[in-house]
Amino acid sequence: MAYATQSDIVELYGPDALFVADRDGDGVADTAAVTRALEGAQDEIDTYIAVRYRLPLAQPARILRQYAVDIALYRLALSADVLSDEHRRRYEDTIAALKRIAKGEAALVMPADDDAEDDGQGPRPIVVGGPERIFSREKMRGL
């Protein structure tokens, strides 16, 4: 399931936000470019959240839609050479938030799924342990 779609960009920022995806100058966003940017944004998001969450997410947190849109618009603006300070600020804020999630300083709030008891989508526990010790006190006693 994609984190965001082209219609999400229009819903969040209006149709004028897609001017960065007008590759041929006809006033219409290039759908293929937008799709590639959103897929790239999802991949970039996944590199951060994979530290704490099992991927793919069954039901992505709603904030990931915003993050994917901001990253995609930044990438589109960068490639169209129309990058603004607002695009850069939104991208940097998004990356900072993803880094906080990766460090465990923030968490994704997943939508509730009434049917599933535990789908394993929560933060990954830290597991400390390993194989049985070869040289323990009991095994070395008497040597």
Side-chain angles (χ1 to χ4, degrees):
M1 171 190 250
Y3 296 152
T5 62
Q6 184 169 337
S7 61
D8 291 328
I9 295 173
V10 173
E11 183 181 324
L12 290 170
Y13 294 118
D16 293 339
L18 288 173
F19 79 93
V20 297
D22 182 10
R23 296 293 185 240
D24 54 5
D26 64 353
V28 178
D30 181 7
T31 305
V34 174
T35 301
R36 278 191 309 275
L38 288 169
E39 288 171 354
Q42 181 170 340
D43 293 342
E44 188 169 352
I45 290 168
D46 286 348
T47 62
Y48 288 99
I49 66 174
V51 173
R52 298 268 174 207
Y53 299 92
R54 188 174 317 151
L55 298 177
L57 299 173
Q59 290 186 319
R62 288 185 294 270
I63 192 66
L64 294 180
R65 179 178 83 144
Q66 178 73 50
Y67 292 165
V69 166
D70 288 341
I71 292 171
L73 287 176
Y74 172 80
R75 298 282 181 208
L76 286 167
L78 191 63
S79 66
D81 202 25
V82 291
L83 186 65
S84 69
D85 288 337
E86 183 178 353
H87 289 124
R88 181 178 303 283
R89 182 184 47 79
R90 285 181 187 163
Y91 174 77
E92 290 172 351
D93 290 348
T94 296
I95 296 303
L98 289 169
K99 285 180 180 179
R100 286 193 303 276
I101 291 169
K103 287 181 182 177
E105 297 171 353
L108 293 176
V109 179
M110 303 298 180
D113 186 6
D114 298 334
D115 298 335
E117 291 178 21
D118 180 21
D119 60 357
Q121 296 296 326
R124 293 182 183 172
I126 297 174
V127 179
V128 179
E132 183 180 341
R133 293 182 65 174
I134 295 173
F135 300 106
S136 66
R137 289 180 188 218
E138 291 78 27
K139 290 181 180 178
M140 300 298 294
R141 200 170 307 263
L143 294 176

